[in-house]
Amino acid sequence: MIYLNGAFMPLEEARIPVLDRGFIFGDGVYEVIPVYSRKPFRLDEHLARLQHSLDGIMLDNPRSNSEWTEIIGELIDANEPEDQSVYLHVTRGVAKRDHAFPKGVKPTVFMMSNPLVPPSRETLESGVIAVSAVDNRWLRCDIKAISLLPNVLLRQGAVDAGAVEAILFREDFLTEGAASNIFAVKDETLLAPPKDNFMLPGITYDVVLELAASIGIPFEVRRISKEEVLSASELLLTSSTKEVTPITQLDGKPVGSGKPGPYFAKLHAAYQEFKSSVMRA
Ligand code: PDD
């Protein structure tokens, strides 16, 4: 079951007019919210980021936070899996094609749910392969925009090279992955790029830094050079669907020992423990 503009219906029945500005211009924003044991994880933070994205594209929020919470709850109830990934999408609505904003048009609101499958044990034991790529996106990567063509091309480039993620660099500093945030471990310190306009402020990124602080992992939030990434002892990627995943090969070379390292092990365990404590609460 999906949600479209106020109604729940089977996915096959959902229809969008071809003049929707999401279809024509990619004029909209989205969120992906993980749901564990039927409870949305860090919902307030996801809704705050949705507001930031809507502000960034100058679109009024079509629902209050309590309305979003209610609809998300109903969508979760209408779908079977205990663990779900809720996809929420708002566009500027349907109007005659003209780049400038239309007046008096209702935004399109769409939500769907997919089963949430965390990384397999095999992935966590062996790690994943990444390639480096030039970050050729725009300068507002802090907006979770549905216009994802650069991200799509970058991740396809990674897949074509036999990898699962592209690690992006802008003028030789690390920004993020094509669909994830990236952390490096260097000289026993966890390094995270600063939350600026060059990266999406990941909800999982925040959780990882909170966990690092609480379990006593030294960390620094600062610009990270490509050289530091290439010589890191560990690399991690984080996202709502991939949680904390180790990267063990970059551009054909092993990262550190070529196996998931101790910082990954600690953060992954802390993340699992944190998730279950939140779900029990
Ligand atoms: N993507 N950076 C980019 C470019 C992303 O697309 C994502 C997540 C993240 C991680 O953010 P978070 O921890 O809040 O999921 C960082 C989602 C999962 C997607 O597009 O499917």
Side-chain angles (χ1 to χ4, degrees):
M1 295 294 279
I2 64 100
Y3 171 92
L4 181 61
N5 296 328
F8 288 89
M9 63 193 80
L11 179 65
E12 305 71 53
E13 285 172 22
R15 296 283 179 276
I16 299 278
V18 290
L19 285 182
D20 192 284
R21 290 177 63 97
F23 183 61
I24 298 285
F25 293 122
D27 184 1
V29 298
Y30 76 107
E31 272 300 321
V32 176
I33 305 158
V35 174
Y36 298 108
S37 307
R38 305 204 157 269
K39 289 188 193 158
F41 184 66
R42 294 249 153 162
L43 182 56
D44 292 349
E45 289 80 355
H46 279 280
L47 292 179
R49 186 173 65 186
L50 172 67
Q51 186 62 56
H52 173 82
S53 296
L54 288 166
D55 292 345
I57 71 164
M58 288 164 278
L59 182 59
D60 287 340
N61 196 329
R63 304 282 185 277
S64 67
N65 278 4
S66 58
E67 287 169 335
W68 283 124
T69 305
E70 196 177 315
I71 306 165
I72 290 167
E74 284 180 52
L75 183 71
I76 294 169
D77 288 347
N79 287 282
E80 251 169 49
E82 288 291 296
D83 296 347
Q84 304 180 19
S85 140
V86 167
Y87 176 88
L88 181 170
H89 171 127
V90 182
T91 81
R92 208 178 303 275
V94 182
K96 182 174 175 295
R97 185 179 182 280
D98 176 6
H99 290 60
F101 299 168
K103 291 211 171 65
V105 167
K106 262 186 147 182
T108 300
V109 179
F110 167 59
M111 259 191 253
M112 64 178 164
S113 167
N114 288 299
L116 178 59
V117 186
S120 67
R121 180 211 274 255
E122 199 204 346
T123 297
L124 298 176
E125 279 172 5
S126 60
V128 297
I129 298 176
V131 290
S132 60
V134 173
D135 192 341
N136 55 9
R137 300 172 301 162
W138 67 333
L139 299 176
R140 290 304 308 275
C141 297
D142 55 311
I143 298 174
K144 203 161 170 59
I146 60 169
S147 23
L148 283 172
L149 192 50
N151 304 62
V152 165
L153 295 175
L154 287 162
R155 217 172 88 77
Q156 185 57 39
V159 169
D160 289 344
V164 306
E165 184 57 304
I167 300 183
L168 308 180
F169 296 92
R170 210 182 266 271
E171 287 165 6
D172 253 33
F173 66 84
L174 168 69
T175 56
E176 59 179 339
S180 62
N181 290 116
I182 304 290
F183 292 80
V185 178
K186 184 86 187 141
D187 301 329
E188 316 289 306
T189 302
L190 180 71
L191 301 179
K195 287 201 277 183
D196 55 18
N197 58 308
F198 298 124
M199 67 170 241
L200 185 77
I203 307 299
T204 323
Y205 165 104
D206 282 342
V207 175
V208 164
L209 288 185
E210 286 167 33
L211 292 173
S214 77
I215 62 178
I217 288 183
F219 67 90
E220 284 173 22
V221 177
R222 60 163 174 84
R223 280 271 163 94
I224 304 166
S225 69
K226 186 168 185 182
E227 195 280 324
E228 288 178 298
V229 172
L230 295 179
S231 60
S233 58
E234 292 184 46
L235 293 174
L236 310 176
L237 69 80
T238 67
S239 80
S240 292
T241 47
K242 302 215 159 137
E243 301 186 340
V244 185
T245 295
I247 297 168
T248 44
Q249 204 193 98
L250 175 59
D251 293 338
K253 298 193 191 77
V255 176
S257 67
K259 295 208 170 69
Y263 281 52
F264 162 72
K266 282 185 203 168
L267 287 167
H268 178 257
Y271 193 86
Q272 298 308 314
E273 173 51 35
F274 180 68
K275 239 170 62 180
S276 21
S277 71
V278 170
M279 293 314 122
R280 279 194 304 267

